[in-house]
Amino acid sequence: MSSTPFDAIVIGAGPAGLTAGIYLARAKMRTLILNEGTAGGQLVLTHEVANYPGVESTSGYQLATTMKNQAQKFGCAIRSNVSVTRLDLHGETKIVEVNGRETFTAPVVILATGGRSRTLGVAGEADLRGKGISYCATCDGDFFQDKNIIVVGGGNSALEEAVSLTKYAASVTIVHQFDHFQASAHAVEEAKHNPKISFIMESTIAAFLGHDSLEGVKIKHIPTGEVTEAAIDGVFIFIGYVPNTETLRGLVDLNEAGEINVSPLLETNIPGVFAAGDSITKRYRQITTAVADGTVAALSAIDYLRTVGERRLVEEVANI
Ligand SMILES: Cc1cc2nc3c(=O)[nH]c(=O)nc-3n(C[C@H](O)[C@H](O)[C@H](O)COP(=O)(O)OP(=O)(O)OC[C@H]3O[C@@H](n4cnc5c(N)ncnc54)[C@H](O)[C@@H]3O)c2cc1C
């Protein structure tokens, strides 16, 4: 099997990976981005982006397309809809195999595989995602001005985001599966004292209703099995987050939640391997934080490549 050499291989073409590609290719590094799905990552799931500085309002797809074109304009190669089937990261030359038949090599690999919000997995959820169902209050809260919404979950994220959503919404109903919350006492107290927030405990969403946009939900009371229907303008789901790092397990250092452990310069525990974006250990997952990570990882990688280049030159001179 022949292999094609690059200076840097980026795995993942979301905002973090595409930004890394822009910086690397602009610094004249031969760069390849490999992506499992459509380039753009979670951006392509985003109906409207209104919090990316310098762009008042755009669709996620448009922003992703601009980032992709920008990376390609600087010479970055992008391969979408491929599956990474083998990763050998330990040697000085990293080996990445795709689709079980093509290999690429580079001294540097940037992991930018992003993540996904945990879903309820019930009827209507996939179809109405972005059409009334959201997983991000910072991203979409503003679209629910004076509306009646539901927040699903009982941890810190759910309760804190429920409180923050009362800035916009007329009412927020928290639906939680247990009779108590997992959130801190402070977060629970804050939610309980907010006059816009009410609670439906020991209950879960059994189905989302609507065609072009969300119109209502079926709520199931878990102890009795009783199902009721309610009209609602929006539902925010905060039941956890899953980093896309399953294929990295055992290869790089991950924390208990499966997020990649990194240094402030976004180095992983393996020399020459960097990580950026939603897949790393961090608190805030936004487009701006992903592109910032992509920048830092690329600049750190360029520094690393310079050091490797200088060392090889010294070794070559010593061998003459
Ligand atoms: C519905 C929705 C709306 C949002 N709205 C906003 C908003 O308005 N404003 C905002 O700032 N943020 C918003 N976000 C969050 C934002 O989209 C993310 O924080 C951002 O996309 C993270 O970028 P990333 O590059 O780290 O990862 P991702 O965007 O997740 O991209 C990762 C890419 O890596 C690929 N990949 C994964 N595993 C592999 C593998 N093994 N091999 C190859 N490729 C792989 C994936 O297919 C994907 O394309 C929203 C998120 C969602 C889901």
Side-chain angles (χ1 to χ4, degrees):
M1 199 187 301
S2 70
S3 67
T4 314
F6 284 88
D7 294 317
I9 298 173
V10 181
I11 301 181
L18 291 170
T19 305
I22 290 168
Y23 273 80
L24 286 159
R26 199 154 181 247
K28 306 284 180 217
M29 302 295 162
R30 289 166 304 159
T31 305
L32 171 67
I33 304 182
L34 298 168
N35 192 63
E36 244 177 17
T38 312
Q42 293 172 70
L43 265 191
V44 297
L45 305 172
T46 311
H47 177 63
E48 185 185 353
V49 177
N51 59 359
Y52 192 73
V55 184
E56 274 189 15
S57 173
T58 185
S59 71
Y61 182 79
Q62 186 53 56
L63 188 57
T65 305
T66 309
M67 286 185 190
K68 182 180 153 206
N69 292 345
Q70 212 173 344
Q72 285 174 322
K73 196 185 84 185
F74 289 123
C76 187
I78 301 178
R79 294 275 301 273
S80 296
N81 301 307
V82 294
S83 175
V84 172
T85 41
R86 189 169 70 90
L87 267 177
D88 187 343
L89 299 175
H90 275 281
E92 201 163 82
T93 300
K94 322 294 180 200
I95 304 166
V96 184
E97 180 194 83
V98 301
N99 299 339
R101 52 186 150 77
E102 254 184 300
T103 61
F104 303 98
T105 59
V108 151
V109 166
I110 295 180
L111 305 168
T113 52
R116 55 197 190 271
S117 299
R118 207 180 289 283
T119 59
L120 288 167
V122 300
E125 186 176 9
D127 292 340
L128 295 167
R129 185 185 183 123
K131 298 173 183 167
I133 301 178
S134 172
Y135 302 82
C136 176
T138 313
C139 317
D140 299 330
D142 187 28
F143 304 132
F144 292 88
Q145 201 75 46
D146 300 322
K147 304 279 188 204
N148 298 310
I149 62 171
I150 283 175
V151 163
V152 182
N156 277 329
S157 296
L159 271 74
E160 285 167 15
E161 299 296 29
V163 170
S164 87
L165 284 164
T166 58
K167 282 190 298 226
Y168 312 105
S171 74
V172 177
T173 305
I174 297 178
V175 175
H176 185 43
Q177 60 180 333
F178 301 123
D179 62 358
H180 61 279
F181 291 108
Q182 287 71 49
S184 67
H186 174 75
V188 175
E189 279 312 299
E190 221 187 326
K192 282 189 172 162
H193 283 105
N194 192 307
K196 284 190 179 178
I197 297 181
S198 58
F199 302 90
I200 300 180
M201 304 301 285
E202 295 184 283
S203 297
T204 184
I205 305 287
F208 292 95
L209 309 171
H211 297 290
D212 296 332
S213 62
L214 180 72
E215 289 163 15
V217 286
K218 285 187 181 176
I219 301 173
K220 181 177 171 187
H221 184 241
I222 297 168
T224 60
E226 188 189 339
V227 177
T228 49
E229 269 189 37
I232 202 78
D233 300 311
V235 175
F236 284 78
I237 301 170
F238 303 113
I239 55 169
Y241 175 83
V242 192
N244 294 326
T245 54
E246 290 86 349
T247 53
L248 303 174
R249 209 165 281 280
L251 296 177
V252 289
D253 194 20
L254 306 177
N255 69 11
E256 273 178 12
E259 300 158 343
I260 306 167
N261 284 323
V262 284
S263 73
L265 290 176
L266 302 188
E267 301 146 309
T268 68
N269 62 315
I270 302 174
V273 181
F274 302 82
D278 279 12
S279 55
I280 67 171
T281 309
K282 67 175 181 180
R283 173 76 171 88
Y284 300 111
R285 294 189 161 88
Q286 290 286 286
I287 305 165
T288 47
T289 59
V291 302
D293 288 347
T295 308
V296 173
L299 294 177
S300 297
I302 292 165
D303 250 2
Y304 174 86
L305 284 166
R306 207 171 286 139
T307 316
V308 170
E310 281 166 7
R311 196 179 60 233
R312 282 186 184 161
L313 197 63
V314 170
E315 281 166 7
E316 274 170 32
V317 171
N319 287 334
I320 291 174

